Amino acid sequence: MAAHTTSLKKRKKQYKSHRAVTAALIGTGVALLGVYIGFGIYYKGHFFPKTSIGGIACGNKTDSYVESENIDNARNYVLTITDRKGSHFELAGTDFGYTYDANGEEAALLRKQNGFLWPISIFQTHVYDLNRSFSYDVNALTEQIQALPLFDEDYIEPPQDAHLNITEDGYEIIDEVGGNTPIPDTMTAEITAAVDDQKTSILLSDKCYENPAVCASDSIIADTAAQIDKYTAATIHYDIDGADENLDKGTILSFLDIGEDGTVTVNDNRVTQFVQRLASTYNTYGDVRKFKTSKGDTVKIGGGDYGWVINKVKEKDELLKDLEGGIPVEREPMYEQRALQSGLDDIGNTYIEIDYTNQHLWYYKEGELVTDTDIVSGNISRGNGSPDGVFKIVYLQRDATLIGENYASDVKYFMPFAYNVGIHDASWRNTFGKEIYKTSGSHGCINVPEKKAKKLFQTVETGTPVIAYYRDPVTLTAENARISNAYSYKEPDKK
């Protein structure tokens, strides 16, 4: 009996326990259902967490919030424009009536959201685009764009073409410069498109600017460089004794001009100036020289017609041909007149020396004295003084008749050097030298004894320099002195 009572009590206790558990489970289920339904109802009016609409974070926010944000964003809209120079400019939406036109799109997105899927959706990311509708005053925007400093003349830097710059020792390629000259229509269209796309910043593209016509990588630059290289390869070494004269690369570069189309040309004026300098430096015709006499002293003598003369026209033409040839050249200058000896010391050691003051003549050949003699030169007292200067033997004539205004003289050996004045024998004289020339001199020729004239005639060559000088100042007015460019010639008094 006692055992049966104990079992009954145990069953009653278990029953009560089951009822308590069941009640607890039902209570919990009801609570959870309430929470589920509550959140479902909440998310019918709010966006799920981690929701972004048109760039606006709106988790747990209402559609009205998103709409309000769009309105505020439009009111505060600013487009930042960055140009090619890296400068920044701003356009404020308020200056051109930029506004947001609400059309219920936010609410429509919220209605599409199933709030009762919140247990899953709250852990997911939700990103939506919004076909937001903005409006603005097109004319006002265009005016605002055109008022930007981008279009100010003081701000604009024009583009610069790439080009070659000639330097003292070569050339350098100067890269193009883009500048920032705007193309108004393209720039306005690009900025307007950024506003239409609701962008808040834009980097203006290269299409908005005028660009250089020539870039460093263009073939025109390489072609120009090739032309310069060709010209500068045409160096010239001039063969002139005692001188190291060259038309070098640096000088050639100074001749060159580069056109806008990249064509390289030789500047005619600069070439002319170079040839003129060449002639001024190396022409010895008529130069005043210091001459060491046979007596050991030094005299100054100029005038005459002996010496080097560069033909400037022919030299210029030849130089231009050399430049076009594009290869190194070694040659003499183009001479119009040559001397016996090359270089500035063009007399050398073969020459005839005539000292009018001492009335003596010497002939040296390759530094050795061949012959010398006393002479009688032109009569100074009658205005027939012999021409002084640096001349050359023009020709040699055997058995000549010399004819003047009131005379005719037969000579066996005639060696003219200054117009019609020459060295010759004078059979009618018995004495030479001393001061005969001052009162009883010739009509201008140099009289020498026949034996001396013969030896000189047999040994001298045409072109041999003749250095004739007075030690004391004289004035020569005869026509032969004028024509022969005598050093002491003076224009006679017209009276």
Side-chain angles (χ1 to χ4, degrees):
M1 188 71 179
H4 176 75
T5 301
T6 301
S7 175
L8 182 61
K9 288 180 179 180
K10 187 176 180 180
R11 286 196 299 269
K12 286 181 177 180
K13 187 176 181 179
Q14 289 176 339
Y15 175 75
K16 287 179 180 181
S17 176
H18 285 304
R19 287 185 65 186
V21 170
T22 302
L25 289 172
I26 292 171
T28 300
V30 170
L32 289 174
L33 180 61
V35 170
Y36 170 75
I37 294 172
F39 273 101
I41 293 171
Y42 177 80
Y43 283 116
K44 283 184 68 67
H46 297 78
F47 293 104
F48 291 131
K50 299 182 181 180
T51 298
S52 174
I53 300 176
I56 300 173
C58 55
N60 298 315
K61 302 293 185 180
T62 65
D63 60 316
S64 297
Y65 170 81
V66 178
E67 182 178 302
S68 176
E69 284 294 298
N70 278 321
I71 292 172
D72 287 344
N73 287 343
R75 185 181 301 115
N76 297 317
Y77 176 75
V78 174
L79 175 64
T80 300
I81 303 165
T82 303
D83 73 348
R84 177 179 273 179
K85 294 174 67 175
S87 301
H88 304 292
F89 308 91
E90 293 184 343
L91 287 177
T94 53
D95 291 334
F96 52 91
Y98 189 82
T99 57
Y100 177 67
D101 299 328
N103 58 7
E105 191 176 358
E106 297 88 350
L109 285 172
L110 186 57
R111 285 195 297 272
K112 290 180 181 179
Q113 178 178 285
N114 189 342
F116 289 102
L117 295 178
W118 67 265
I120 298 173
S121 297
I122 62 174
F123 298 105
Q124 297 175 337
T125 299
H126 309 275
V127 178
Y128 302 101
D129 289 327
L130 192 64
N131 296 321
R132 290 172 290 190
S133 177
F134 295 88
S135 61
Y136 58 86
D137 185 329
V138 175
N139 292 331
L141 174 61
T142 301
E143 290 178 0
Q144 290 296 312
I145 294 173
Q146 292 175 349
L148 290 170
L150 289 164
F151 299 96
D152 290 349
E153 289 186 6
D154 293 341
Y155 182 74
I156 293 173
E157 298 173 2
Q160 298 178 25
D161 291 346
H163 61 281
L164 287 176
N165 183 40
I166 294 177
T167 62
E168 291 183 357
D169 55 358
Y171 58 85
E172 57 184 351
I173 298 176
I174 308 299
D175 289 336
E176 69 275 10
V177 177
N180 64 335
T181 301
I183 302 175
D185 290 345
T186 304
M187 188 173 285
T188 299
E190 200 163 289
I191 295 172
T192 301
V195 173
D196 290 340
D197 292 340
Q198 304 147 29
K199 293 181 179 179
T200 57
S201 65
I202 177 178
L203 174 62
L204 294 174
S205 72
D206 289 341
K207 295 178 181 179
C208 294
Y209 300 96
E210 293 181 7
N211 291 308
V214 180
C215 297
S217 58
D218 290 352
S219 60
I220 187 174
I221 297 296
D223 290 344
T224 301
Q227 293 177 68
I228 294 175
D229 289 340
K230 176 184 176 183
Y231 281 122
T232 54
T235 56
I236 302 174
H237 174 71
Y238 288 99
D239 290 332
I240 303 172
D241 284 353
D244 184 22
E245 182 64 42
N246 300 285
L247 177 61
D248 56 20
K249 179 179 178 181
T251 305
I252 294 173
L253 285 167
S254 71
F255 291 167
L256 304 181
D257 290 329
I258 302 176
E260 292 183 0
D261 61 353
T263 301
V264 180
T265 56
V266 178
N267 187 291
D268 189 80
N269 288 335
R270 295 188 204 122
V271 173
T272 299
Q273 290 171 5
F274 173 82
V275 173
Q276 179 60 56
R277 184 197 66 78
L278 194 69
S280 298
T281 303
Y282 296 103
N283 282 359
T284 59
Y285 178 94
D287 282 355
V288 175
R289 315 148 186 267
K290 290 183 178 179
F291 175 75
K292 187 174 182 179
T293 72
S294 294
K295 291 187 174 294
D297 60 344
T298 300
V299 297
K300 283 186 177 182
I301 184 64
D305 61 0
Y306 179 80
W308 295 99
V309 179
I310 291 176
N311 188 316
K312 291 184 283 188
V313 174
K314 289 185 177 180
E315 174 57 34
K316 179 180 175 181
D317 290 343
E318 192 67 18
L319 190 155
L320 291 173
K321 289 179 184 177
D322 292 338
L323 291 175
E324 290 297 330
I327 59 173
V329 174
E330 184 170 343
R331 63 174 175 83
E332 285 187 331
M334 302 298 290
Y335 289 114
E336 181 177 328
Q337 175 176 297
R338 306 177 68 87
L340 193 64
Q341 176 74 27
S342 180
L344 295 175
D345 182 16
D346 56 355
I347 293 174
N349 58 7
T350 296
Y351 57 86
I352 294 172
E353 175 187 354
I354 303 175
D355 183 342
Y356 289 136
T357 303
N358 289 301
Q359 290 290 283
H360 202 83
L361 176 151
W362 297 264
Y363 171 45
Y364 296 91
K365 190 168 186 176
E366 296 180 359
E368 296 295 328
L369 181 65
V370 176
T371 186
D372 70 305
T373 179
D374 286 337
I375 64 168
V376 175
S377 60
N379 191 329
I380 286 287
S381 63
R382 294 184 179 180
N384 291 326
S386 298
D388 57 350
V390 182
F391 307 96
K392 59 181 177 294
I393 298 297
V394 181
Y395 59 87
L396 303 175
Q397 184 177 355
R398 189 75 165 80
D399 297 326
T401 299
L402 308 181
I403 300 175
E405 292 183 3
N406 54 3
Y407 70 91
S409 302
D410 294 326
V411 299
K412 295 180 179 179
Y413 311 102
F414 184 46
M415 297 159 276
F417 63 86
Y419 182 45
N420 58 357
V421 173
I423 304 168
H424 61 77
D425 54 295
S427 58
W428 54 91
R429 291 188 184 277
N430 294 319
T431 57
F432 297 86
K434 298 182 180 178
E435 296 187 351
I436 298 172
Y437 78 103
K438 291 184 177 180
T439 56
S440 186
S442 70
H443 291 90
C445 284
I446 314 305
N447 295 174
V448 298
E450 183 178 328
K451 289 184 178 180
K452 296 291 185 178
K454 180 179 180 180
K455 186 171 184 179
L456 184 61
F457 188 90
Q458 291 173 337
T459 54
V460 77
E461 297 177 356
T462 58
T464 299
V466 177
I467 301 93
Y469 57 88
Y470 293 92
R471 293 178 175 276
D472 300 320
V474 297
T475 298
L476 304 177
T477 58
E479 184 67 4
N480 57 31
R482 182 188 70 81
I483 295 175
S484 64
N485 190 36
Y487 183 59
S488 298
Y489 173 76
K490 295 291 187 297
E491 188 77 25
D493 191 342
K494 292 183 179 181
K495 292 182 180 179

